[in-house]
C-alpha cells in the first residue's frame, strides 16, 4: 500500500485538505482578523468531502480503476471549491467596506490538492499500463 507513490500523494492530499485548513487562514478581514474555513457555511463540507474522498481512494489501493475515478471526483470537488473561494474573494473585495483585505495561504490549498491528485492519477495510470503489459506476456 505505502510502497506505491500514489499512496503518498493521496496521503498528502488528505493532510492538505483535512489538517492544514485548521492551521492556515483563508484571508484576513478589514479588522485584521483571520478568517478560517469553518466560519463560512459551505466550506467545511467541501473541505471534508475532499479529505474523505482522498482517504477512501487511499484505502482502495487494490482497485486502481476505482482509485482513479475517486481522484477525478476529488479534482472536480476541488475545482468547485477553488471557484467558490475565488468568487467569494472577488465579490467581497470590490466594495468600499471590504471584508477581505489580505489573502492567506489557505486559498491555495485546493490548488496544491489538485496538483497532488494529478500526480497520483499519473502514477495510477502508469501502474495500470504496467499491469496490462505484463498480462499481455502471459
Amino acid at each position: 500500500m505505502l510502497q506505491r507513490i500514489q499512496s503518498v500523494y493521496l496521503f498528502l492530499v488528505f493532510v492538505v485538505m483535512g489538517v492544514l485548513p485548521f492551521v492556515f487562514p483563508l484571508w484576513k478581514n478589514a479588522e485584521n482578523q483571520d478568517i478560517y474555513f469553518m466560519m463560512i457555511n459551505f466550506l467545511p463540507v467541501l473541505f471534508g468531502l475532499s479529505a474523505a474522498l482522498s482517504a477512501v481512494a487511499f484505502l482502495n489501493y487494490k482497485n486502481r480503476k476505482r482509485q482513479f475515478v475517486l481522484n477525478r471526483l476529488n479534482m472536480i470537488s476541488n475545482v468547485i471549491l477553488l471557484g467558490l473561494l475565488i468568487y467569494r474573494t472577488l465579490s467581497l473585495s470590490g466594495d468600499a467596506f471590504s471584508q477581505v483585505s489580505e489573502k492567506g495561504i489557505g486559498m491555495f490549498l485546493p490548488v496544491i490538492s489538485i496538483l497532488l491528485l494529478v500526480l497520483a492519477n499519473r502514477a495510477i495510470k502508469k501502474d495500470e499500463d504496467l499491469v496490462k503489459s505484463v498480462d499481455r506476456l502471459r
Side-chain angles (χ1 to χ4, degrees), residues 1-9 60-64 67 123-124 127:
M1 175 167 73
L2 284 178
Q3 69 265 20
R4 295 171 42 208
I5 190 68
Q6 61 262 32
S7 297
V8 174
Y9 291 143
N60 278 322
Y61 60 92
K62 290 183 181 178
N63 193 343
R64 287 178 298 279
Q67 203 175 30
I124 292 168
D127 278 357

Side-chain angles (χ1 to χ4, degrees), residues 88-100:
R88 176 122 174 137
T89 57
L90 290 178
S91 67
L92 292 178
S93 64
D95 54 276
F97 302 103
S98 175
Q99 294 181 1
V100 179

Side-chain angles (χ1 to χ4, degrees), residues 79-91:
V79 167
I80 291 170
L81 176 63
L82 184 63
L84 289 172
L85 287 173
I86 290 172
Y87 173 75
R88 176 122 174 137
T89 57
L90 290 178
S91 67

Side-chain angles (χ1 to χ4, degrees), residues 23-107:
V23 178
F24 296 116
L26 296 175
W27 56 74
K28 292 185 181 204
N29 62 5
E31 292 84 31
N32 207 17
Q33 297 171 337
D34 290 336
I35 303 295
Y36 289 91
F37 80 103
M38 292 107 27
M39 299 176 181
I40 301 167
N41 294 338
F42 56 86
L43 291 184
V45 172
L46 290 172
F47 274 100
L49 176 70
S50 179
L53 281 173
S54 65
V56 170
F58 179 77
L59 295 175
N60 278 322
Y61 60 92
K62 290 183 181 178
N63 193 343
R64 287 178 298 279
K65 291 179 185 177
R66 185 179 301 149
Q67 203 175 30
F68 193 82
V69 170
L70 288 172
N71 286 346
R72 288 283 172 115
L73 289 173
N74 201 350
M75 279 189 250
I76 291 169
S77 71
N78 279 317
V79 167
I80 291 170
L81 176 63
L82 184 63
L84 289 172
L85 287 173
I86 290 172
Y87 173 75
R88 176 122 174 137
T89 57
L90 290 178
S91 67
L92 292 178
S93 64
D95 54 276
F97 302 103
S98 175
Q99 294 181 1
V100 179
S101 62
E102 180 181 328
K103 277 72 171 175
I105 195 157
M107 292 286 293

